[in-house]
Amino acid sequence: MAVKVIIPTPLRAYAGKQQSVELEAATVGEALSALTNRFGELKKHLYADDGRLRSFVNVYVNDEDIRYLEKDQTHLREGDTISIVPSIAGGTRH
Amino acid sequence: MLRVREELLGRIRAHGVKTYPHECCGALLGRDSDGSREVIELLELANRRLDSPRNRFEVTPDDVRLAERTGREKKLELLGWYHSHPDAPARPSEYDRDHAWPWYSYLIVSVEKGEPRDTKSWRLQDDRSGYELEAIETADRVTSIPSGPG
């Protein structure tokens, strides 16, 4: 399935400065693997050391959060658009 | 280098004072030219971290998309984020680093006992090991010189 992945601004430097990347994948998990295989530097910003997506990395398929679909097993259709959307968090040490 | 007009810095400090002892947060919209940045507008946001707003802040993906959309409408880029550290230094915490994105400017205002103190801007290093201090330039002077995290 040919799909498009929208790269958020803070990660574009790690994805050849591209706003979006076209790739072949049947599921969201496959798409993200293909993306990080192509652009290895993206991996540390998307995945924690335990191999899970970082909690502040949100993935949407055509505007639907994959947490409410089938997560990384969410099936893709030809022409789907996957968006990686940051959430922002922080705070003091105590 | 992050250029911010004194008036905008004043609004960020005032936001931190208004929400004290809770953390405030908002988006920095402006222009980036090879890492030299100018903040043109602010977008005040609600701190969505309702369970511990005194020492945490959160901007939801919907608010991030709102900030991106607002930037696009004004032909500005989403350069980064500001937040306050009530009764703590204007320095990123380990929690900040765990949750940070590269490229964005993270501007932190320290608010002690309800009074605004230091304001500093930080950028996450490529390898996520720490932050670099980003100099803030107002219209007439440089307010903090890069010297590495303290």
Side-chain angles (χ1 to χ4, degrees):
Chain A
M1 241 58 72
V3 296
K4 181 159 87 171
V5 183
I6 308 285
I7 311 293
T9 311
L11 296 185
R12 285 180 193 160
Y14 309 94
K17 298 188 176 175
Q18 297 178 77
Q19 294 188 16
S20 64
V21 174
E22 307 261 353
L23 42 80
E24 291 280 334
T27 64
V28 168
E30 278 183 30
L32 294 177
S33 290
L35 183 70
T36 52
N37 284 341
R38 196 183 300 180
F39 301 106
E41 287 290 300
L42 279 177
K43 202 162 189 173
K44 62 179 177 292
H45 297 297
L46 293 178
Y47 292 97
D49 292 341
D50 63 6
R52 292 186 190 184
L53 268 185
R54 291 182 179 276
S55 58
F56 49 88
V57 174
N58 307 282
V59 180
Y60 292 73
V61 175
N62 305 331
D63 268 359
E64 192 79 35
D65 189 331
I66 63 164
R67 292 186 186 97
Y68 303 108
L69 300 171
E70 294 169 75
K71 300 178 182 170
D72 60 351
Q73 295 301 312
T74 302
H75 287 275
L76 297 171
R77 286 176 297 190
E78 184 79 18
D80 275 350
T81 298
I82 299 171
S83 304
I84 299 169
V85 180
S87 49
I88 307 297
T92 56
R93 66 193 63 202
H94 51 271
Chain B
M1 175 75 75
L2 186 72
R3 287 195 182 84
V4 194
R5 295 194 310 277
E6 190 59 52
E7 176 243 333
L8 296 181
L9 283 176
R11 278 174 48 196
I12 292 171
R13 294 188 189 108
H15 193 188
V17 168
K18 187 173 75 180
T19 61
Y20 181 89
H22 295 172
E23 297 201 7
C24 73
C25 56
L28 307 172
L29 304 175
R31 298 197 177 92
D32 174 90
S33 173
D34 290 329
S36 179
R37 300 177 160 186
E38 181 173 8
V39 178
I40 309 284
E41 286 206 27
L42 305 175
L43 181 66
E44 279 191 22
L45 293 167
N47 182 356
R48 304 292 187 185
R49 188 65 191 264
L50 300 178
D51 59 327
S52 54
R54 283 171 180 257
N55 63 351
R56 296 282 183 261
F57 81 96
E58 183 175 342
V59 179
T60 61
D62 282 346
D63 283 345
V64 172
R65 294 207 283 189
L66 170 69
E68 287 176 342
R69 196 164 58 243
T70 304
R72 275 199 302 276
E73 286 167 4
K74 296 172 183 288
K75 300 198 183 328
L76 299 174
E77 276 191 86
L78 174 55
L79 298 178
W81 307 91
Y82 70 83
H83 70 284
S84 62
H85 277 183
D87 298 316
R91 205 165 51 219
S93 63
E94 189 65 14
Y95 187 86
D96 282 328
R97 187 174 65 81
D98 281 345
H99 292 75
W101 290 81
W103 193 84
Y104 283 143
S105 294
Y106 285 91
L107 196 148
I108 303 175
V109 57
S110 168
V111 182
E112 293 194 21
K113 298 189 172 98
E115 292 293 325
R117 302 290 182 203
D118 285 352
T119 305
K120 292 183 177 171
S121 183
W122 305 85
R123 300 220 1 215
L124 184 70
Q125 291 171 350
D126 276 348
D127 63 1
R128 307 190 63 87
S129 65
Y131 281 87
E132 286 174 6
L133 188 61
E134 180 177 49
I136 297 176
E137 186 188 287
T138 57
D140 52 351
R141 65 198 166 95
V142 176
T143 56
S144 53
I145 304 295
S147 59

Coordinates of all heavy atoms in Angstrom, one line a residue, chain B residues 2 8 11-12 19 23 28 46 49 51-52 80 84 86 88 99-100 103 121-122 127 134 136 144:
Chain B
L2 N 17.7 33.5 19.7 CA 16.2 33.7 19.6 C 15.9 35.1 19.9 O 16.2 35.6 21.0 CB 15.6 32.8 20.7 CG 14.1 32.7 20.7 CD1 13.5 31.9 19.5 CD2 13.6 32.1 22.0
L8 N 7.0 40.9 24.3 CA 6.5 39.5 24.3 C 7.1 38.8 25.5 O 6.4 38.0 26.2 CB 6.9 38.8 23.0 CG 6.3 39.3 21.7 CD1 6.8 38.5 20.5 CD2 4.8 39.2 21.8
R11 N 4.9 39.5 28.3 CA 3.7 38.8 28.3 C 3.9 37.4 28.8 O 3.0 36.8 29.5 CB 3.1 38.8 26.9 CG 2.3 40.1 26.6 CD 1.8 40.1 25.2 NE 1.2 38.9 24.7 CZ 0.9 38.6 23.4 NH1 1.3 39.5 22.5 NH2 0.3 37.5 23.1
I12 N 5.0 36.8 28.5 CA 5.3 35.4 29.0 C 5.5 35.4 30.5 O 4.9 34.6 31.2 CB 6.6 34.8 28.3 CG1 6.3 34.6 26.8 CG2 7.1 33.6 29.0 CD1 7.6 34.3 26.0
T19 N -0.6 32.4 36.4 CA -1.0 31.0 36.7 C -0.3 30.5 38.0 O -0.6 29.4 38.5 CB -0.6 30.1 35.6 OG1 0.8 30.1 35.3 CG2 -1.4 30.5 34.3
E23 N 2.1 25.9 36.6 CA 2.9 26.2 35.5 C 2.0 26.8 34.3 O 0.8 26.3 34.2 CB 3.6 25.0 35.0 CG 4.6 24.4 36.0 CD 5.6 23.5 35.4 OE1 5.7 23.4 34.1 OE2 6.4 22.9 36.1
L28 N 5.4 29.5 20.7 CA 6.2 30.6 20.2 C 6.1 30.5 18.6 O 6.5 29.5 18.0 CB 7.7 30.5 20.5 CG 8.0 30.3 22.0 CD1 9.5 29.9 22.2 CD2 7.7 31.6 22.8
A46 N -3.8 26.6 27.5 CA -4.1 26.1 28.9 C -3.2 24.9 29.2 O -2.8 24.1 28.4 CB -5.6 25.6 28.9
R49 N -2.3 19.6 32.1 CA -1.9 18.6 33.1 C -2.6 19.0 34.4 O -2.1 19.7 35.3 CB -0.4 18.7 33.3 CG 0.2 17.6 34.1 CD 0.0 16.2 33.6 NE 0.3 15.2 34.6 CZ 1.5 14.6 34.7 NH1 2.5 14.9 33.8 NH2 1.8 13.8 35.7
D51 N -3.7 17.1 37.0 CA -3.4 16.4 38.2 C -2.2 17.0 39.0 O -2.2 16.8 40.2 CB -3.2 14.9 37.9 CG -2.0 14.7 37.0 OD1 -1.8 15.5 36.1 OD2 -1.3 13.6 37.2
S52 N -1.3 17.6 38.3 CA -0.1 18.2 39.0 C 0.4 19.4 38.3 O 1.5 19.5 37.9 CB 1.0 17.2 39.2 OG 1.4 16.6 38.0
G80 N 8.6 26.9 18.8 CA 8.8 26.2 20.1 C 7.8 26.6 21.1 O 6.6 27.0 20.7
S84 N 6.5 28.0 32.5 CA 7.1 28.5 33.7 C 7.5 27.4 34.7 O 7.0 26.3 34.6 CB 6.0 29.5 34.4 OG 4.9 28.7 34.8
P86 N 7.5 27.4 38.5 CA 7.2 28.1 39.8 C 8.2 27.6 40.9 O 8.4 26.4 41.1 CB 5.8 27.6 40.1 CG 5.2 27.1 38.8 CD 6.4 26.5 38.1
A88 N 11.3 27.5 41.0 CA 12.4 26.6 40.5 C 13.2 27.4 39.4 O 12.6 28.3 38.8 CB 11.9 25.3 39.9
H99 N 11.0 14.5 27.8 CA 9.8 14.8 27.0 C 10.1 15.8 25.9 O 9.1 16.1 25.2 CB 8.7 15.3 27.9 CG 8.1 14.2 28.8 ND1 8.8 13.8 29.9 CD2 7.0 13.5 28.8 CE1 8.2 12.9 30.5 NE2 7.1 12.6 29.9
A100 N 11.3 16.2 25.7 CA 11.6 17.2 24.7 C 11.7 16.7 23.3 O 12.1 15.6 23.1 CB 12.9 17.9 25.1
W103 N 15.0 20.5 17.9 CA 14.7 21.7 17.0 C 13.9 22.8 17.7 O 14.2 24.0 17.6 CB 13.9 21.2 15.7 CG 13.9 22.3 14.7 CD1 14.8 22.6 13.7 CD2 12.8 23.2 14.4 NE1 14.4 23.6 12.9 CE2 13.2 24.0 13.3 CE3 11.6 23.4 15.0 CZ2 12.4 25.0 12.8 CZ3 10.8 24.5 14.5 CH2 11.2 25.2 13.4
S121 N 16.2 30.3 27.3 CA 15.7 29.5 26.2 C 16.7 28.3 26.0 O 17.9 28.5 26.0 CB 15.5 30.3 24.9 OG 15.0 29.4 23.9
W122 N 16.2 27.1 25.7 CA 17.0 25.9 25.6 C 16.6 25.1 24.3 O 15.5 25.2 23.9 CB 16.8 25.1 26.8 CG 17.1 25.8 28.1 CD1 16.2 26.5 28.8 CD2 18.3 25.8 28.8 NE1 16.8 27.0 30.0 CE2 18.1 26.6 30.0 CE3 19.6 25.2 28.7 CZ2 19.1 26.8 30.9 CZ3 20.6 25.4 29.6 CH2 20.3 26.2 30.7
D127 N 21.6 14.3 20.2 CA 21.6 12.9 20.8 C 20.8 12.8 22.1 O 20.8 11.8 22.8 CB 23.1 12.5 21.1 CG 23.7 13.4 22.2 OD1 23.0 14.4 22.7 OD2 24.9 13.2 22.5
E134 N 20.2 28.7 24.5 CA 20.0 29.5 23.3 C 20.0 31.0 23.7 O 19.1 31.3 24.5 CB 18.7 29.1 22.6 CG 18.4 29.8 21.3 CD 17.1 29.3 20.7 OE1 16.1 29.1 21.4 OE2 17.2 29.0 19.5
I136 N 19.0 34.7 24.1 CA 17.8 35.5 23.8 C 18.3 36.9 23.5 O 19.0 37.5 24.3 CB 16.9 35.5 25.0 CG1 16.4 34.0 25.3 CG2 15.7 36.4 24.8 CD1 15.5 33.9 26.6
S144 N 21.0 36.6 27.6 CA 21.7 35.5 28.2 C 22.7 34.9 27.2 O 22.4 34.7 26.0 CB 20.8 34.4 28.7 OG 19.9 34.0 27.7

